[in-house]
Amino acid sequence: MYDVSLLMKANSRIQKRRPILQDGHFIFVSDEPFFDEYALAEFMAFCNRIVHGGYPKGIPVIVQFTKEIKFEEKLMFILLECVCKYLISEGHPVSLNMKIHPEINTHGFESSPLKLLESSTYGNTDRFKEKFSKDLFRRHYRGVFPHDAKGDDLSIIMGDTASFQRIGNIRDEDRDMVAEVMAELLGNAQEHSMSDCLYDFDITPAYRKKGSDKIFVGMNIVILNLSHKLLGTGLKQKLEGLSEELPARYKQVMEALERHKIFFNSLYREEDFFNIAAFQHKISGRVDNNCTGGTGLTKLIHTLEEKSDAYDCFVQSGSRQFRFEHRYMNYNEDWIGFNDSNDFLTRPPNIGLFRDSRIYLPGTAYNLTFIMETEGPLM
């Protein structure tokens, strides 16, 4: 079961004013033209007030955006889907009225289950639930990878991901790398958090750049794992609990932590250290695994970013975001420094890679956008 209530409980702010109740409906109105983490936080507070404010179930919710809006990134409307799913699961049907300004990194909204809520009759609730969990149609591929998946399930998803990209006429080697990234992320979620993981992948229509005959498509991926375990939690607990028994490589991470403590401040924190440490070669947060780590994932993302005409890739866990910038992702003696000197052991990462989010995300989310050149006309 994909538990969206974890997201709502982790952001349990409740708005002080009473929600508008008109003609038997709760009304949420936004005049903002940009849907970002602040807009999402406001809507979540509204929903928490409805669910925990003593109101009876069954009262529908109308969500009205008065202006054409832009989403900050794909993750924003995926999280909005989760909030709407939560409202519906708590017995409040949802009607969504919004017009979206299309952007290449958020074009997948056209295939979002949210589109099924654009009805005043609330008749598509069951279809919304179905599409939230699974969809494969033209340029959209989505599913929930279960925590108890069998060994072959990951291979099947990897093959399906590679085949799905044929609609974008992506080069074979690029398709294979993207499929490997999906497999790495889903496999990590299954191993480390033991919770279900949502994946959503859309490929935009083709476009040409001005002054060029080259054809490009946008490839937008979100991997969202909701759990009580954050990205760096397992590694931190492992280092604290097994310090005498750890292999030499893990002891190097502990030594690096001691050196990094002098760099910690409001912009670079201990949790950031453990997040970047989790991406190091042969470093794992699992107590029973001292041999594997994130080298495959970081190398794949690094290569895909270099191949892309443009890209935007980040991970969020808790309230902290970390951006993947390929110029800071070069290996130096099997360590990634995420800084100009490629030095993880003694130097801090580039603090511009980190930022706080208004939304607390229990678990881990990856938002990956690659603008890739195609091999010719689309299929």
Side-chain angles (χ1 to χ4, degrees):
M1 178 182 177
Y2 194 70
D3 190 2
V4 294
S5 69
L6 289 174
L7 177 65
M8 299 302 292
K9 291 174 183 175
N11 296 272
S12 57
R13 296 177 293 273
I14 297 178
Q15 67 176 22
K16 295 180 180 179
R17 66 182 186 276
R18 297 181 63 182
I20 300 173
L21 188 57
Q22 180 178 317
D23 298 327
H25 298 79
F26 288 115
I27 310 293
F28 178 86
V29 180
S30 174
D31 298 322
E32 297 297 324
F34 197 58
F35 195 92
D36 56 11
E37 60 199 59
Y38 294 95
L40 180 62
E42 182 183 0
F43 182 53
M44 294 173 77
F46 170 85
C47 296
N48 275 322
R49 179 62 187 264
I50 290 175
V51 173
H52 302 292
Y55 297 99
K57 293 186 177 183
I59 301 177
V61 177
I62 296 176
V63 184
Q64 173 72 50
F65 292 88
T66 62
K67 297 177 181 177
E68 183 180 61
I69 64 170
K70 292 182 180 181
F71 283 105
E72 187 174 23
E73 68 257 334
K74 182 180 178 74
L75 180 60
M76 278 297 105
F77 70 76
I78 298 293
L79 293 176
L80 179 59
E81 293 171 0
C82 292
V83 178
C84 290
K85 186 174 187 294
Y86 174 74
L87 272 179
I88 290 170
S89 68
E90 291 293 326
H92 296 281
V94 177
S95 175
L96 192 63
N97 190 341
M98 61 194 312
K99 183 179 181 182
I100 307 303
H101 180 83
E103 298 279 350
I104 196 166
N105 64 329
T106 57
H107 188 273
F109 182 83
E110 293 303 313
S111 301
S112 167
L114 291 172
K115 298 288 288 183
L116 294 170
L117 301 181
E118 296 177 343
S119 169
S120 60
T121 63
Y122 310 100
N124 290 326
T125 296
D126 289 339
R127 290 181 60 199
F128 169 85
K129 293 178 182 177
E130 293 173 3
K131 190 165 184 175
F132 181 93
S133 299
K134 186 177 182 179
D135 188 45
L136 178 55
F137 183 71
R138 292 183 61 79
R139 294 186 172 91
H140 187 226
Y141 175 43
R142 180 190 184 110
V144 175
F145 189 66
H147 69 278
D148 56 353
K150 305 300 185 291
D152 291 343
D153 293 343
L154 205 55
S155 297
I156 292 171
I157 287 180
M158 190 170 173
D160 289 345
T161 302
S163 297
F164 162 70
Q165 296 172 74
R166 292 185 187 278
I167 195 171
N169 206 10
I170 308 299
R171 295 185 182 94
D172 287 348
E173 62 183 59
D174 297 340
R175 289 194 294 111
D176 290 344
M177 278 191 287
V178 171
E180 285 186 62
V181 168
M182 288 272 285
E184 286 267 357
L185 294 175
L186 293 173
N188 288 346
Q190 182 193 32
E191 288 186 14
H192 299 293
S193 68
M194 291 304 297
S195 60
D196 296 348
C197 191
L198 179 74
Y199 56 93
D200 191 294
F201 186 178
D202 74 84
I203 299 178
T204 70
Y207 75 95
R208 282 187 172 88
K209 291 179 65 175
K210 290 182 178 179
S212 172
D213 291 331
K214 293 182 178 179
I215 301 175
F216 297 87
V217 294
M219 305 175 70
N220 303 301
I221 301 170
V222 163
I223 307 288
L224 177 58
N225 152 243
L226 296 176
S227 72
H228 295 291
K229 199 167 186 178
L230 301 183
L231 176 61
T233 299
L235 179 58
K236 180 180 180 181
Q237 293 174 344
K238 182 175 182 176
L239 294 179
E240 292 174 345
L242 299 171
S243 58
E244 296 302 319
E245 304 171 18
L246 289 174
R249 190 165 179 80
Y250 285 83
K251 291 180 180 179
Q252 285 182 280
V253 174
M254 294 182 68
E255 293 168 359
L257 172 61
E258 292 304 312
R259 298 188 189 101
H260 278 237
K261 285 181 178 178
I262 64 172
F263 305 124
F264 291 159
N265 53 38
S266 62
L267 300 178
Y268 174 49
R269 308 170 189 173
E270 183 181 80
E271 63 189 293
D272 299 323
F273 172 86
F274 283 106
N275 285 345
I276 64 172
F279 290 112
Q280 300 298 331
H281 181 41
K282 291 188 177 180
I283 296 297
S284 170
R286 287 182 56 183
V287 174
D288 59 349
N289 187 347
N290 290 331
C291 298
T292 64
T295 179
L297 175 64
T298 48
K299 280 188 175 180
L300 288 166
I301 293 177
H302 176 275
T303 303
L304 284 168
E305 288 185 344
E306 286 192 318
K307 285 172 165 282
S308 298
D309 183 64
Y311 64 89
D312 182 24
C313 301
F314 68 86
V315 59
Q316 179 174 340
S317 190
S319 61
R320 297 293 282 171
Q321 285 188 5
F322 172 68
R323 307 201 85 81
F324 295 106
E325 293 284 350
H326 69 83
R327 64 182 180 274
Y328 299 125
M329 293 172 66
N330 295 305
Y331 277 89
N332 180 6
E333 296 183 356
D334 286 337
W335 300 99
I336 309 177
F338 297 107
N339 51 35
D340 291 313
S341 57
N342 298 324
D343 183 353
F344 167 73
L345 298 178
T346 66
R347 300 300 304 163
N350 186 312
I351 59 174
L353 300 176
F354 303 97
R355 66 177 291 270
D356 260 325
S357 173
R358 182 78 171 88
I359 302 298
Y360 185 91
L361 204 153
T364 304
Y366 292 86
N367 189 113
L368 311 176
T369 290
F370 304 105
I371 311 303
M372 307 290 289
E373 184 180 353
T374 72
E375 289 190 308
L378 299 186
M379 295 176 62

